[in-house]
């Protein structure tokens, strides 16, 4: 099954993508995670991406398209994958169509997780992530048992540099301008499925599972 998770920053894409990846035994391909790892390691890619990311801007299309192309042609993506945070522009979506065509594959479903801006901001500023295993917490709705420590692996929790309110507002504006047009792009292809992302994590999860149960892949 080849899937895309679409939605504003903080809509819950990452949380749901991890769950679906585990459930279906397919890799989660998150361009945000790949870029953050490159920044942390100080690679050439990381050096190029860092400024854009810290300002809440998109990293240039040719850079992320290259990353995705390389990632999707790896062996573990043969059975399927779930794209989280890509595509984010029409140019990226068109490039993805081309990559899929070259591999003789297609996207089976695009899940659009809907959440309004005010809700997104509230979620993101309270978001904390485990440095070690990537588990995602919310200080109010899904707090860790022990302050600053991951329940799952004991790793240290941190706040992303771009999760500060001003940057979040900019990321949302970028989302509206560049990413929202993808909703129509995939609607026209007949593969877009909307879910209400304001519900709690489990409710969103079961909505997604019921959609995936109905599509053929
Ligand atoms: P995310 O973790 O998906 O919210 O991504 C964090 C940041 O990484 C974004 O604000 C962008 O700066 C960059 N990024 C991630 N995915 C993409 C993409 N598909 N296109 C451009 N920039 C991206």
């Amino acid at each position: 099954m080849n899937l895309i998770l679409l939605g504003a920053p903080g809509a819950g894409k990452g949380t749901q993508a991890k769950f679906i990846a585990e459930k279906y035994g397919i890799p989660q391909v998150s361009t945000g995670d790949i870029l953050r790892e490159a920044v942390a390691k100080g690679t050439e890619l990381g050096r190029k991406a860092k400024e854009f990311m810290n300002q809440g801007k998109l990293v240039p299309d040719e850079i992320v398209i290259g990353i995705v192309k390389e990632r999707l042609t790896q062996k573990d993506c043969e059975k399927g994958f779930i794209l989280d945070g890509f595509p984010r522009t029409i140019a990226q979506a068109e490039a993805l169509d081309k990559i899929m065509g070259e591999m003789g594959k297609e996207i089976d479903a695009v899940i659009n997780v809907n959440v309004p801006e005010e809700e997104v901001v509230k979620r993101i500023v309270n978001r904390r992530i485990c440095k070690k295993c990537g588990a995602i917490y919310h200080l109010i709705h899904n707090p860790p048992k022990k302050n600053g420590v991951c329940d799952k692996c004991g790793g240290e929790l941190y706040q992303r540099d771009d999760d500060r309110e001003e940057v979040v507002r900019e990321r949302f504006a970028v989302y509206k301008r560049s990413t929202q047009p993808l909703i129509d792009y995939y609607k026209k292809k007949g593969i877009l499925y909307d879910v209400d992302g304001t519900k709690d994590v489990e409710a969103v999860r079961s909505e997604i599972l019921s959609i995936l149960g109905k599509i053929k892949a």
Side-chain angles (χ1 to χ4, degrees), residues 9 31-33 35-36 52-53 56-59 64 84-88 92 160 162 171:
T31 41
D33 284 350
L35 291 167
R36 272 185 293 281
F52 296 104
M53 294 175 77
K57 311 263 186 237
L58 293 182
V59 173
V64 274
D84 159 18
F86 182 95
R88 261 175 154 99
Q92 291 179 17
R160 275 167 50 170
D162 59 350
R171 286 164 64 203

